[in-house]
Amino acid sequence: MSERSTQVGRALAHESAHGHVTGEARYTDDLLPRTPEALHAWPVQSVHAHARVVSVDTEAAQAVVGVVAVLSAASVPPGGQNQVGAVRLDEPLFPDEVSHHGQPVVWVLGETLEAAREGAAAVVVDYEVLPAILTMAEALAAKSTLSEAMIIVSGEPEAALANAPRRLEGELEIGGQEHFYLETQAALATWDEAGGVFVHSSTQHPSETQHIVARVLGLPAHAVTCQSLRMGGAFGGKEVQANPIAAVAALGAKVTGRPVRVRLDRQRDMQITGKRHPFWGRYRVGFDDEGRLLALDVALYSDGGWSMDLSKPIMYRALFHIDNCYRLPNLRVVGRVLRTNKTSQTAFRGFGGPQGMVVIEEIVDRVARAVGRPAHEVRALNFYRPGDCTHYGQEVRDADRIARIWDALMTSAQVEARRAEVDRANATCTHEKRGLAITPVKFGISFTTSFLNQAGALVLIYADGSVQVNHGGTEMGQGLHTKMMQIAADGLGVPLSSVRLMPTRTDKVPNTSATAASSGSDLNGAAVEIACTQLRERLAAVAGRMLDLPPADLRFAQGRVFPFWGEPTGERSQGFAEVVARAYLERVQLFAAGYYRTPEIHYDEQLGRGKPFHYYCYGAAVTEVAVDGFTGQYEIVRVDVLHDVGRSISPLIDRGQIEGGYIQGLGWLTCEELVWNEQGALATRGASTYKLPSLGECPEVFNVELLAMADEPKVVKGSKAVGEPPFMLAISAREALREAVAAFAPEGAPASSVALDCPSTPEAVYWAIEALRGDGRS
C-alpha cells in the first residue's frame, strides 16, 4: 500500500496516557501484591570509595526477626558466575574489593522491607582501605584508564594548525547528570516448577538482563524469561544497570525458593547506579580572520567510574559528534576513558554526543569572539554543505537541511530583530542583562556497535480479526508502543482499537537489542511492518478469492478490504474480520515474524573510517535568557525550535519528545550538579540536594515546529528518530547565558572569551560575571 492510511501521522495521545494519570498503569513494583509470599531485598553498602573486603559477619543480621537470608558470593550456585559486567567481566555482583562509595557488598532478604533494612544495618564488614582516585585529573596523573586511546584523524591537522592565521587553545570540564527516572531500579523474580525463572524487570534491554541472570545462575538462556512491562523513565540508565538488580532478585528466589522483590529507594538508586559521563576537553584550534575553522586538535577524557560499562562506545559517539554541524577539514580527536572510584557511569540520552557537541560549540564561540563576529554568523559560515563528508568518512546526506532549518528559524524566531531589542535592553539596564543564541544539531542515528542494529516482531491475528503485536522494544514513556500500534494498524488496515500491544518479553521475541540509540521506532517499527506485510499478502489472496479480484488490486483500510478504485463500504468489499475468519477456515497462517537489520552500517576503529550511522537528524533552537547580575539567577524567557523528525508517525508524541528533550538538556547544562565529597561519597543523592528543572525553568514562550517535507526514505514510514537529538537543542541555552554574561563586561573593556562552567548554575554564572567585572577593573 503506497498510500498512507489515517493511522500513521495522526496526533494521538500516548497509548498509556490515561493509565499514567489515573494510576491504573502498572510498573514492575506494582506487581508485588500478586506475589504475597515475596521477600524484600536491601543492600549492605560500602562506606569507602576503595577498599578490600576483609570479612563479612552476618551473624547479628541472621538473628534479626524476619531476616530470611543474606546473599553473598557463596550464594552463587555451582556453574554460575559472580559477574554482571555486560561488556567486560569487571563487575562482580558481590565484590571482594569495593570500588566506589555505596557499592553493595551483600544483600539481605527479609519478610518485610523493614526487616531487610534492619538486617542490613546489623551486618559487620571489615575493610582494608585502599587509595582512591576521585577526579579525572588524578586518574590522568595515575594513568588509571579503562580504555586505550581512540583516535580519528582527517586531513593534516598539525600542518594546518601551524599555518593557520589565528590560533587559540583551551579546555572545558563538563559535568555529569543523574537520570532521576521517576521509577527507580526494580525487579521481581519467581521460579516455576520446571526449574525456570521469570524476571519482571524495569529494563531497557530484556535480552541482556536475561543473559546476565542466566550467567549468574549457571542456566541456559531458555530457562530465564525476562519481561519489561513498562518503565517510569529510563533515559539510558536501565540499559545495563538494571542487570544486577534483576540478578539479585533471581538469585534470591533461587536460594530461598520464594519470589524476591528488589526496589531501590531514591537515595540508594543515586548512590549505586551510574550517571552521564563527566567529560574534560582540551583543544587547539586554527582559524582565519573570518572565523572559518581550518584545523582542530582535541583530546577528550571521560570519567568512566569504576568499570567499563558502555564507556567505550559512549566515547566513540563523542568523537563522532565533535563536529556537530561544522566542516572541519583538518581534525585530530583522541578519546580516553579514565577509571575513577565512583559509580560506573553509563548510557544517558545522547550517549556521549552531547559532550562532544558542547566542546565544539565552546570552540566556535571563542573563535567568534576572537574575530569580532556574532557567534551565529560564524556558526553558519562553517556549516556542512551538500557533498561534504565527516572526519570519519561518512557523507553528510541531506546536509542542505542544516542551512534550511537555520534560515527558517532565523526568520520565524525573528532573531535579528530580537538581537537588536536585546542590545537596546542591555544598554539601558545595568543589573539585568539578556542573552540570545541559536545553535544547530546534527545527530547520527544507529547503534555504533553494528550487530545491535537488528530487531524482531511477532504479530498475531486471531480468528475474530483482533490483532496482538509483540516486538523487542521497551516502553519507557517515550511513546514507542503508540507508534508500533499505529504502524501495525496501518499495515493491516484496521482501527487502533483492534490492536493490542503486549509487554516486551524474551519468550516472544528473542535476542533483542536495547531500546536505545534513538533507534527503537526505526528497528522495531520496520520489523512490525515486515510482519504485517506478510500477513496482509496472505489475507489479500483470501480476499481476492472472496471478491473475485486480483490480490494486487486490493486495499486494506478502515477495517475493510476493497479494490483501490472502490469505497470501503462498497458492494465489492469485505470486512477485515470476515476475511480473517475465511483465512482461518482455509488454514492460512495468521501469525508472522518480522525481522529487520539496518543496512550498510560499519566502522573500522583502526582506520577511523566507516559509516556508523544510517542517517542524520537535524535541528536548531533559539533561546533567550535574562540574567540577574547581583545573584547570577536567570530566567529562560523564550525558546523556539525547528526540528527534523522526517515524516512523523505520531506528531504529538514527537512534539513531546522534543519539549522533554530540551528541558532535560537544559537541566544538564544549567542546574543539575553532581557533587562528591572528599571521601568519594555522593553528596547530591536526593531531590533536596540535586536540582532538577521544574515548571519554574520552563520558558514562558516555547514554540516547537516540525520540519515539513522531510521524508526519510530509508526508514519505516519515512520517519526519523526523535529520542536523543532534541536533547542537544538546549546547548542554545548555555550559549545564551554566555551572551548575557558577556553583556556585563564594563563599557570599553576589550572583547574576551567568557569562561562559563558546565553546568552553568546560577553560582557559576555569578562568578563568570564577577570575573568579567574584575577584568574590567584591572
Side-chain angles (χ1 to χ4, degrees):
M1 265 187 337
S2 60
E3 183 179 345
R4 191 177 226 199
S5 85
T6 56
Q7 303 303 336
V8 168
R10 292 177 60 192
L12 300 176
H14 191 287
E15 49 88 22
S16 293
H18 183 269
H20 291 160
V21 298
T22 61
E24 294 174 6
R26 291 291 177 261
Y27 296 85
T28 295
D29 201 54
D30 293 328
L31 304 177
L32 183 63
R34 301 180 187 178
T35 50
E37 298 299 314
L39 299 173
H40 303 257
W42 196 264
V44 176
Q45 296 174 265
S46 169
V47 294
H48 302 287
H50 192 200
R52 186 171 292 108
V53 177
V54 177
S55 64
V56 179
D57 185 351
T58 65
E59 184 176 355
Q62 300 278 7
V64 172
V65 175
V67 168
V68 175
V70 178
L71 300 181
S72 66
S75 306
V76 177
Q81 296 182 51
N82 178 31
Q83 185 55 246
V84 293
V87 176
R88 186 183 285 177
L89 297 180
D90 61 349
E91 295 185 32
L93 185 59
F94 305 103
D96 54 16
E97 181 180 312
V98 293
S99 297
H100 73 90
H101 196 289
Q103 183 176 2
V105 179
V106 296
W107 290 76
V108 176
L109 305 182
E111 296 285 356
T112 64
L113 189 62
E114 292 71 23
R117 291 181 66 168
E118 185 178 348
V123 173
V124 178
V125 182
D126 184 24
Y127 298 97
E128 177 190 340
V129 179
L130 302 172
I133 295 174
L134 301 178
T135 68
M136 284 188 279
E138 291 175 0
L140 192 60
K143 298 182 179 179
S144 176
T145 63
L146 286 168
S147 76
E148 69 286 356
M150 293 162 262
I151 305 172
I152 302 176
V153 180
S154 65
E156 299 181 358
E158 282 300 330
L161 274 168
N163 295 326
R166 295 191 181 210
R167 291 181 295 275
L168 59 81
E169 61 183 50
E171 62 180 74
L172 175 67
E173 288 195 48
I174 303 169
Q177 186 179 21
E178 168 62 36
H179 298 87
F180 219 99
Y181 26 65
L182 292 180
E183 177 205 25
T184 57
Q185 300 280 356
L188 177 64
T190 60
W191 281 78
D192 62 30
E193 71 284 355
V197 60
F198 193 102
V199 183
H200 294 279
S201 175
S202 184
T203 175
Q204 293 175 243
H205 198 174
S207 289
E208 186 175 86
T209 300
Q210 173 196 31
H211 171 71
I212 297 298
V213 168
R215 178 203 292 166
V216 171
L217 297 177
L219 295 174
H222 70 65
V224 180
T225 301
C226 180
Q227 174 173 293
S228 179
L229 179 60
R230 60 167 58 84
M231 288 167 279
F235 312 113
K238 296 175 181 177
E239 183 174 348
V240 168
Q241 307 229 340
N243 298 336
I245 304 302
V248 168
L251 179 62
K254 171 70 172 176
V255 169
T256 63
R258 292 172 60 181
V260 171
R261 167 248 197 171
V262 183
R263 185 187 69 81
L264 301 180
D265 66 358
R266 181 65 61 186
Q267 178 173 319
R268 260 138 288 277
D269 195 289
M270 295 183 73
Q271 289 175 325
I272 292 170
T273 65
K275 328 295 180 193
R276 181 184 297 280
H277 287 66
F279 264 60
W280 179 16
R282 294 172 168 177
Y283 58 85
R284 296 181 297 148
V285 59
F287 52 99
D288 65 18
D289 292 338
E290 297 297 312
R292 188 172 286 102
L293 302 175
L294 303 176
L296 181 61
D297 183 19
V298 184
L300 295 178
Y301 304 95
S302 71
D303 183 345
W306 71 279
S307 69
M308 176 59 88
D309 198 274
L310 296 171
S311 295
K312 184 176 178 179
I314 286 168
M315 176 57 77
Y316 259 117
R317 189 168 278 266
L319 303 187
F320 291 147
H321 287 81
I322 193 65
D323 57 339
N324 194 7
C325 289
Y326 311 117
R327 181 176 180 270
L328 304 171
N330 301 282
L331 170 66
R332 180 178 186 265
V333 57
V334 181
R336 290 183 178 86
V337 181
L338 303 177
R339 187 182 193 276
T340 63
N341 293 114
K342 291 181 178 176
T343 54
S344 184
Q345 317 313 0
T346 190
F348 202 135
R349 197 176 197 169
F351 205 75
Q355 293 94 318
M357 291 162 70
V358 166
V359 170
I360 190 62
E361 293 300 340
E362 170 92 3
I363 292 168
V364 171
D365 181 84
R366 287 198 62 191
V367 168
R369 294 182 191 281
V371 300
R373 295 186 66 181
H376 71 278
E377 292 183 5
V378 174
R379 289 188 169 100
L381 176 68
N382 287 284
F383 282 162
Y384 280 117
R385 303 290 189 258
D388 285 344
C389 290
T390 65
H391 51 293
Y392 45 89
Q394 179 167 343
E395 181 185 357
V396 185
R397 190 162 52 83
D398 296 325
D400 58 301
R401 290 190 187 182
I402 301 172
R404 177 183 160 198
I405 290 170
W406 188 266
D407 294 343
L409 190 59
M410 288 284 293
T411 299
S412 65
Q414 303 173 303
V415 171
E416 292 295 355
R418 288 168 60 197
R419 276 177 54 82
E421 177 58 33
V422 165
D423 289 342
R424 286 192 293 271
N426 288 345
T428 59
C429 185
T430 58
H431 67 274
E432 180 181 279
K433 303 292 184 182
R434 294 207 168 198
L436 181 73
I438 177 171
T439 57
V441 167
K442 172 183 68 67
F443 193 79
I445 302 301
S446 287
F447 286 99
T448 51
T449 302
S450 299
F451 71 83
L452 295 176
N453 293 285
Q454 58 178 307
L458 176 63
V459 178
L460 316 176
I461 302 178
Y462 292 95
D464 64 353
S466 61
V467 179
Q468 188 184 94
V469 177
N470 304 269
H471 65 90
T474 55
E475 176 62 53
M476 59 197 89
Q478 84 278 34
L480 175 63
H481 283 357
T482 306
K483 291 186 176 182
M484 297 305 99
M485 291 177 68
Q486 289 178 267
I487 290 170
D490 177 70
L492 296 173
V494 298
L496 284 170
S497 58
S498 295
V499 180
R500 182 184 181 194
L501 210 298
M502 303 304 292
T504 310
R505 47 191 286 172
T506 56
D507 60 353
K508 290 291 185 70
V509 181
N511 309 318
T512 58
S513 296
T515 304
S518 300
S519 63
S521 294
D522 292 2
L523 295 174
N524 295 287
V528 169
E529 184 177 53
I530 289 168
C532 289
T533 298
Q534 295 175 49
L535 291 167
R536 192 176 66 245
E537 289 174 351
R538 294 173 198 163
L539 292 174
V542 175
R545 292 190 290 274
M546 296 172 71
L547 297 171
D548 193 24
L549 288 168
D553 289 351
L554 297 178
R555 182 184 177 195
F556 288 65
Q558 300 179 39
R560 307 285 296 176
V561 184
F562 54 95
F564 277 106
W565 60 86
E567 296 295 328
T569 56
E571 289 186 7
R572 299 191 75 179
S573 69
Q574 285 286 343
F576 181 82
E578 285 72 31
V579 175
V580 169
R582 175 67 67 86
Y584 173 71
L585 295 176
E586 294 184 6
R587 296 183 296 177
V588 174
Q589 183 179 337
L590 293 175
F591 59 92
Y595 175 78
Y596 173 79
R597 60 180 181 181
T598 310
E600 302 173 353
I601 298 295
H602 60 93
Y603 181 74
D604 188 315
E605 293 184 8
Q606 299 303 314
L607 297 177
R609 293 292 182 274
K611 184 179 180 288
F613 304 117
H614 193 36
Y615 61 89
Y616 295 102
C617 289
Y618 303 103
V622 177
T623 299
E624 183 177 349
V625 301
V627 174
D628 186 312
F630 294 121
T631 64
Q633 293 282 345
Y634 45 79
E635 174 190 358
I636 309 298
V637 177
R638 174 176 167 180
V639 174
D640 296 84
V641 168
L642 180 57
H643 198 71
D644 171 18
V645 298
R647 193 181 190 192
S648 178
I649 293 172
S650 196
L652 194 61
I653 295 293
D654 288 348
R655 189 177 296 272
Q657 285 292 292
I658 293 168
E659 293 170 350
Y662 179 96
I663 294 298
Q664 191 173 50
L666 181 70
W668 171 54
L669 291 167
T670 64
C671 62
E672 297 184 46
E673 185 174 20
L674 292 164
V675 178
W676 277 268
N677 65 23
E678 293 180 356
Q679 288 73 46
L682 182 65
T684 48
R685 53 181 184 268
S688 62
T689 52
Y690 185 76
K691 177 68 174 72
L692 292 162
S694 61
L695 284 176
E697 281 69 47
C698 289
E700 189 171 325
V701 179
F702 198 166
N703 299 316
V704 174
E705 295 295 333
L706 308 182
L707 183 67
M709 299 176 66
D711 287 34
E712 175 51 57
K714 296 186 176 183
V715 180
V716 61
K717 303 301 180 186
S719 67
K720 280 190 173 183
V722 74
E724 291 170 298
F727 183 91
M728 282 70 74
L729 295 169
I731 296 174
S732 60
R734 181 172 186 268
E735 296 308 309
L737 287 171
R738 193 200 305 274
E739 294 284 348
V741 169
F744 282 99
E747 188 175 351
S752 63
S753 62
V754 177
L756 187 60
D757 290 347
C758 191
S760 305
T761 62
E763 181 182 15
V765 168
Y766 172 79
W767 288 115
I769 294 171
E770 284 296 291
L772 279 180
R773 288 169 172 165
D775 290 344
R777 288 191 291 269
S778 61

